[in-house]
Tab-separated table of all heavy atoms in Angstrom:
chain	number	residue	atom	x	y	z
A	1	LEU	N	-126.263	-150.027	113.716
A	1	LEU	CA	-124.805	-150.173	113.670
A	1	LEU	C	-124.209	-149.767	112.336
A	1	LEU	O	-123.070	-149.306	112.269
A	1	LEU	CB	-124.401	-151.636	113.934
A	1	LEU	CG	-124.628	-152.235	115.310
A	1	LEU	CD1	-124.156	-153.689	115.307
A	1	LEU	CD2	-123.882	-151.440	116.374
A	2	ALA	N	-124.968	-149.993	111.258
A	2	ALA	CA	-124.464	-149.852	109.886
A	2	ALA	C	-123.260	-150.756	109.676
A	2	ALA	O	-122.330	-150.427	108.938
A	2	ALA	CB	-124.129	-148.392	109.557
A	3	GLN	N	-123.290	-151.909	110.313
A	3	GLN	CA	-122.300	-152.943	110.073
A	3	GLN	C	-122.900	-154.294	110.436
A	3	GLN	O	-123.981	-154.358	111.007
A	3	GLN	CB	-121.010	-152.684	110.850
A	3	GLN	CG	-121.146	-152.716	112.348
A	3	GLN	CD	-119.859	-152.293	113.043
A	3	GLN	OE1	-119.215	-151.323	112.672
A	3	GLN	NE2	-119.484	-153.028	114.072
A	4	ALA	N	-122.191	-155.353	110.080
A	4	ALA	CA	-122.754	-156.692	110.209
A	4	ALA	C	-122.720	-157.195	111.646
A	4	ALA	O	-121.767	-156.916	112.394
A	4	ALA	CB	-122.008	-157.663	109.301
A	5	GLU	N	-123.747	-157.940	112.004
A	5	GLU	CA	-123.806	-158.630	113.294
A	5	GLU	C	-124.310	-160.041	113.053
A	5	GLU	O	-125.322	-160.237	112.394
A	5	GLU	CB	-124.735	-157.897	114.259
A	5	GLU	CG	-124.812	-158.533	115.645
A	5	GLU	CD	-123.457	-158.683	116.291
A	5	GLU	OE1	-122.847	-157.664	116.662
A	5	GLU	OE2	-122.982	-159.841	116.396
A	6	ALA	N	-123.582	-161.026	113.549
A	6	ALA	CA	-123.981	-162.421	113.365
A	6	ALA	C	-124.164	-163.144	114.695
A	6	ALA	O	-124.397	-164.354	114.723
A	6	ALA	CB	-122.951	-163.157	112.516
A	7	ASP	N	-124.095	-162.409	115.801
A	7	ASP	CA	-124.245	-162.995	117.135
A	7	ASP	C	-125.715	-162.890	117.547
A	7	ASP	O	-126.223	-161.802	117.812
A	7	ASP	CB	-123.353	-162.253	118.123
A	7	ASP	CG	-123.372	-162.862	119.521
A	7	ASP	OD1	-124.321	-163.615	119.833
A	7	ASP	OD2	-122.448	-162.586	120.306
A	8	GLY	N	-126.397	-164.037	117.568
A	8	GLY	CA	-127.818	-164.048	117.891
A	8	GLY	C	-128.133	-163.406	119.227
A	8	GLY	O	-129.191	-162.794	119.395
A	9	SER	N	-127.200	-163.493	120.192
A	9	SER	CA	-127.460	-162.950	121.523
A	9	SER	C	-127.493	-161.427	121.533
A	9	SER	O	-128.021	-160.816	122.462
A	9	SER	CB	-126.392	-163.445	122.506
A	9	SER	OG	-125.119	-162.919	122.184
A	10	LYS	N	-126.941	-160.788	120.509
A	10	LYS	CA	-126.909	-159.324	120.454
A	10	LYS	C	-128.032	-158.731	119.609
A	10	LYS	O	-128.290	-157.531	119.657
A	10	LYS	CB	-125.559	-158.854	119.895
A	10	LYS	CG	-124.367	-159.219	120.769
A	10	LYS	CD	-123.059	-158.759	120.140
A	10	LYS	CE	-121.872	-159.140	121.009
A	10	LYS	NZ	-120.587	-158.764	120.370
A	11	LEU	N	-128.690	-159.579	118.817
A	11	LEU	CA	-129.643	-159.059	117.833
A	11	LEU	C	-130.895	-158.464	118.484
A	11	LEU	O	-131.422	-157.460	118.001
A	11	LEU	CB	-130.022	-160.163	116.846
A	11	LEU	CG	-128.879	-160.588	115.905
A	11	LEU	CD1	-129.245	-161.854	115.153
A	11	LEU	CD2	-128.542	-159.467	114.931
A	12	ALA	N	-131.366	-159.063	119.574
A	12	ALA	CA	-132.569	-158.533	120.229
A	12	ALA	C	-132.330	-157.110	120.714
A	12	ALA	O	-133.178	-156.224	120.539
A	12	ALA	CB	-132.995	-159.431	121.387
A	13	ASP	N	-131.168	-156.854	121.320
A	13	ASP	CA	-130.848	-155.517	121.817
A	13	ASP	C	-130.811	-154.501	120.678
A	13	ASP	O	-131.280	-153.365	120.815
A	13	ASP	CB	-129.513	-155.542	122.551
A	13	ASP	CG	-129.159	-154.197	123.170
A	13	ASP	OD1	-130.013	-153.633	123.882
A	13	ASP	OD2	-128.041	-153.697	122.931
A	14	LEU	N	-130.276	-154.934	119.528
A	14	LEU	CA	-130.224	-154.026	118.369
A	14	LEU	C	-131.622	-153.703	117.853
A	14	LEU	O	-131.887	-152.579	117.424
A	14	LEU	CB	-129.375	-154.653	117.262
A	14	LEU	CG	-127.889	-154.828	117.590
A	14	LEU	CD1	-127.189	-155.603	116.475
A	14	LEU	CD2	-127.217	-153.476	117.789
A	15	LEU	N	-132.524	-154.683	117.914
A	15	LEU	CA	-133.901	-154.440	117.475
A	15	LEU	C	-134.628	-153.486	118.417
A	15	LEU	O	-135.463	-152.685	117.980
A	15	LEU	CB	-134.665	-155.761	117.366
A	15	LEU	CG	-134.231	-156.687	116.225
A	15	LEU	CD1	-134.933	-158.032	116.345
A	15	LEU	CD2	-134.496	-156.054	114.860
A	16	VAL	N	-134.320	-153.548	119.702
A	16	VAL	CA	-134.910	-152.605	120.658
A	16	VAL	C	-134.388	-151.196	120.391
A	16	VAL	O	-135.154	-150.223	120.320
A	16	VAL	CB	-134.611	-153.034	122.108
A	16	VAL	CG1	-135.082	-151.954	123.091
A	16	VAL	CG2	-135.289	-154.362	122.424
A	17	LYS	N	-133.066	-151.081	120.213
A	17	LYS	CA	-132.465	-149.761	119.966
A	17	LYS	C	-132.963	-149.154	118.659
A	17	LYS	O	-133.043	-147.929	118.519
A	17	LYS	CB	-130.943	-149.888	119.935
A	17	LYS	CG	-130.326	-150.162	121.295
A	17	LYS	CD	-128.819	-150.336	121.194
A	17	LYS	CE	-128.219	-150.535	122.591
A	17	LYS	NZ	-126.767	-150.843	122.519
A	18	GLN	N	-133.314	-150.006	117.705
A	18	GLN	CA	-133.763	-149.553	116.390
A	18	GLN	C	-135.057	-148.725	116.480
A	18	GLN	O	-135.289	-147.844	115.657
A	18	GLN	CB	-133.981	-150.777	115.494
A	18	GLN	CG	-134.214	-150.487	114.033
A	18	GLN	CD	-135.244	-151.435	113.464
A	18	GLN	OE1	-136.380	-151.483	113.922
A	18	GLN	NE2	-134.857	-152.178	112.447
A	19	VAL	N	-135.892	-148.980	117.491
A	19	VAL	CA	-137.192	-148.307	117.580
A	19	VAL	C	-137.022	-146.801	117.774
A	19	VAL	O	-137.753	-145.993	117.189
A	19	VAL	CB	-138.042	-148.904	118.722
A	19	VAL	CG1	-139.366	-148.158	118.856
A	19	VAL	CG2	-138.293	-150.387	118.483
A	20	THR	N	-136.032	-146.409	118.572
A	20	THR	CA	-135.799	-144.980	118.830
A	20	THR	C	-134.578	-144.458	118.075
A	20	THR	O	-134.361	-143.243	118.028
A	20	THR	CB	-135.575	-144.720	120.333
A	20	THR	OG1	-134.498	-145.551	120.798
A	20	THR	CG2	-136.827	-145.030	121.135
A	21	GLY	N	-133.774	-145.337	117.497
A	21	GLY	CA	-132.537	-144.931	116.850
A	21	GLY	C	-132.716	-144.610	115.374
A	21	GLY	O	-133.731	-144.936	114.757
A	22	SER	N	-131.706	-143.969	114.810
A	22	SER	CA	-131.733	-143.629	113.384
A	22	SER	C	-131.541	-144.874	112.531
A	22	SER	O	-130.774	-145.770	112.884
A	22	SER	CB	-130.608	-142.642	113.057
A	22	SER	OG	-130.772	-141.430	113.745
A	23	VAL	N	-132.246	-144.920	111.405
A	23	VAL	CA	-132.033	-145.959	110.396
A	23	VAL	C	-130.852	-145.505	109.527
A	23	VAL	O	-130.988	-144.603	108.707
A	23	VAL	CB	-133.294	-146.172	109.531
A	23	VAL	CG1	-133.021	-147.183	108.422
A	23	VAL	CG2	-134.452	-146.631	110.397
A	24	ARG	N	-129.702	-146.145	109.733
A	24	ARG	CA	-128.466	-145.708	109.051
A	24	ARG	C	-128.320	-146.460	107.721
A	24	ARG	O	-127.380	-147.208	107.503
A	24	ARG	CB	-127.279	-145.932	109.982
A	24	ARG	CG	-127.355	-145.097	111.247
A	24	ARG	CD	-126.349	-145.513	112.298
A	24	ARG	NE	-124.969	-145.323	111.862
A	24	ARG	CZ	-123.908	-145.677	112.587
A	24	ARG	NH1	-124.081	-146.238	113.781
A	24	ARG	NH2	-122.693	-145.487	112.124
A	25	TRP	N	-129.290	-146.225	106.836
A	25	TRP	CA	-129.331	-147.003	105.595
A	25	TRP	C	-128.187	-146.644	104.645
A	25	TRP	O	-127.550	-147.521	104.063
A	25	TRP	CB	-130.683	-146.833	104.912
A	25	TRP	CG	-130.829	-147.724	103.722
A	25	TRP	CD1	-130.819	-147.364	102.402
A	25	TRP	CD2	-130.937	-149.152	103.740
A	25	TRP	NE1	-130.936	-148.469	101.611
A	25	TRP	CE2	-131.008	-149.585	102.410
A	25	TRP	CE3	-130.993	-150.104	104.761
A	25	TRP	CZ2	-131.125	-150.924	102.061
A	25	TRP	CZ3	-131.114	-151.442	104.425
A	25	TRP	CH2	-131.183	-151.837	103.096
A	26	ARG	N	-127.923	-145.356	104.479
A	26	ARG	CA	-126.838	-144.939	103.587
A	26	ARG	C	-125.520	-145.574	104.022
A	26	ARG	O	-124.779	-146.139	103.205
A	26	ARG	CB	-126.723	-143.402	103.588
A	26	ARG	CG	-125.558	-142.856	102.761
A	26	ARG	CD	-125.497	-141.333	102.870
A	26	ARG	NE	-125.328	-140.898	104.251
A	26	ARG	CZ	-124.150	-140.801	104.877
A	26	ARG	NH1	-123.020	-141.099	104.238
A	26	ARG	NH2	-124.097	-140.393	106.133
A	27	GLU	N	-125.230	-145.505	105.311
A	27	GLU	CA	-123.986	-146.087	105.825
A	27	GLU	C	-123.982	-147.616	105.694
A	27	GLU	O	-122.933	-148.221	105.460
A	27	GLU	CB	-123.792	-145.706	107.286
A	27	GLU	CG	-123.493	-144.237	107.532
A	27	GLU	CD	-123.428	-143.954	109.024
A	27	GLU	OE1	-124.483	-143.663	109.626
A	27	GLU	OE2	-122.325	-144.049	109.582
A	28	SER	N	-125.164	-148.220	105.861
A	28	SER	CA	-125.249	-149.686	105.733
A	28	SER	C	-124.893	-150.131	104.322
A	28	SER	O	-124.157	-151.109	104.127
A	28	SER	CB	-126.654	-150.166	106.098
A	28	SER	OG	-126.957	-149.897	107.457
A	29	VAL	N	-125.413	-149.408	103.323
A	29	VAL	CA	-125.097	-149.741	101.928
A	29	VAL	C	-123.620	-149.495	101.650
A	29	VAL	O	-122.946	-150.307	100.992
A	29	VAL	CB	-125.994	-148.935	100.973
A	29	VAL	CG1	-125.564	-149.138	99.518
A	29	VAL	CG2	-127.455	-149.342	101.153
A	30	MET	N	-123.089	-148.391	102.170
A	30	MET	CA	-121.667	-148.097	101.986
A	30	MET	C	-120.805	-149.182	102.630
A	30	MET	O	-119.771	-149.583	102.082
A	30	MET	CB	-121.336	-146.730	102.566
A	30	MET	CG	-121.917	-145.566	101.774
A	30	MET	SD	-121.738	-143.963	102.609
A	30	MET	CE	-119.953	-143.830	102.694
A	31	TYR	N	-121.219	-149.661	103.780
A	31	TYR	CA	-120.490	-150.741	104.459
A	31	TYR	C	-120.465	-151.998	103.588
A	31	TYR	O	-119.402	-152.608	103.388
A	31	TYR	CB	-121.147	-151.049	105.811
A	31	TYR	CG	-120.668	-152.329	106.451
A	31	TYR	CD1	-119.492	-152.357	107.196
A	31	TYR	CD2	-121.383	-153.522	106.300
A	31	TYR	CE1	-119.038	-153.539	107.767
A	31	TYR	CE2	-120.938	-154.700	106.872
A	31	TYR	CZ	-119.761	-154.698	107.602
A	31	TYR	OH	-119.321	-155.884	108.155
């Protein structure tokens, strides 16, 4: 996402997407 998430119910889905998705580290730091 390159943005904050605090909803526990959404975090598992983000971890699954992370396996095939880009690591948006530059954008995360900018955020």
